[in-house]
Amino acid sequence: MKLAMILDRRRCYACHGCAVACKVANATPPGTFWTKTITEEKGKFPKAHMEYTPLICNHCDKAPCVEVCPTGASKKMEDGTVQITTSECVGCQLCMEACPYGARYFNEKDSPTYWAETGKQDIFEQSRYKQHPAGTVDKCTFCAPRREKGLPPACVQTCAGVARIFGDLDDPDSEISKIFKQYKPKPLYPEKGTSPRVFYIE
């Protein structure tokens, strides 16, 4: 199995629905975005235009985050994804420094809240933030809990522009395999040599 994602930049218009869906699905704390979209102005007037680049953990085959992890908390799984075993993470943040995609986040000791003005967390935060213990690193899991239920990643399901395609590249009949063959998408920062599982159609 080779789980991967294709991001079609031609269809992305930076609605940020993916970021919202990810937050709801994974209950990430304030300031933590497992997926986000970078907006850049390109060209010069009168031919200036906006370009959008969705960013996410690339679940690399040659993952530098896995290589530098001193405890083995970051590991490559059989399905090809890179996951973090929270109980083994010591919060050294070496993986954050090693990741060329800026896809990892550190959970501070004092977990922030979206309800800071009330001086407390709401019920949702109190229950879900336990999944992000203080002093550990977090990142996109390709929505592992949703996949266990047969559901696609939340960002894929919510994408209004249908700019995200997810699936198994080892399955020649899968949608992602057919699109990969047709458009030959490229990885971000290929010069890093990480052999990522996320590809872009320009």
Side-chain angles (χ1 to χ4, degrees), residues 98-145:
C99 176
Y101 306 102
R104 291 179 167 235
Y105 293 84
F106 183 67
N107 296 315
E108 300 288 348
K109 292 183 178 180
D110 296 321
S111 182
T113 171
Y114 280 104
W115 302 91
E117 68 277 6
T118 68
K120 60 182 179 181
Q121 294 178 328
D122 71 351
I123 295 176
F124 177 80
E125 290 178 325
Q126 289 177 16
S127 61
R128 296 296 301 280
Y129 279 11
K130 294 177 182 178
Q131 300 171 20
H132 313 286
T136 62
V137 174
D138 263 342
K139 70 168 198 68
C140 159
T141 66
F142 270 170
C143 276

Side-chain angles (χ1 to χ4, degrees), residues 13-54:
Y13 49 87
C15 71
H16 302 292
C18 53
V20 175
C22 177
K23 276 201 161 290
V24 172
N26 298 290
T28 57
T32 296
F33 293 90
W34 288 1
T35 183
K36 56 191 175 185
T37 302
I38 304 300
T39 301
E40 298 177 285
E41 182 177 348
K42 297 289 186 177
K44 296 182 179 180
F45 179 84
K47 296 184 178 180
H49 65 282
M50 305 304 292
E51 287 188 359
Y52 309 116
T53 305

Side-chain angles (χ1 to χ4, degrees), residues 8 10-13 15 158-164:
D8 192 339
R10 304 169 305 168
R11 303 182 66 93
C12 176
Y13 49 87
C15 71
T158 198
C159 183
V162 195
R164 294 176 178 236

Side-chain angles (χ1 to χ4, degrees), residues 3-8 11 13 15-23 25-26 34-37 54-57 59 140-144 146-147 150-168 175-176 179 197-199:
L3 293 180
M5 186 180 293
I6 292 176
L7 298 170
D8 192 339
R11 303 182 66 93
Y13 49 87
C15 71
H16 302 292
C18 53
V20 175
C22 177
K23 276 201 161 290
N26 298 290
W34 288 1
T35 183
K36 56 191 175 185
T37 302
L55 298 176
I56 195 169
C57 171
H59 295 275
C140 159
T141 66
F142 270 170
C143 276
R146 287 175 57 87
R147 289 189 284 110
L151 298 172
C155 63
V156 174
Q157 186 170 36
T158 198
C159 183
V162 195
R164 294 176 178 236
I165 303 93
F166 178 79
D168 183 4
E175 180 187 14
I176 193 171
I179 291 177
R197 294 287 185 93
V198 175
F199 304 90

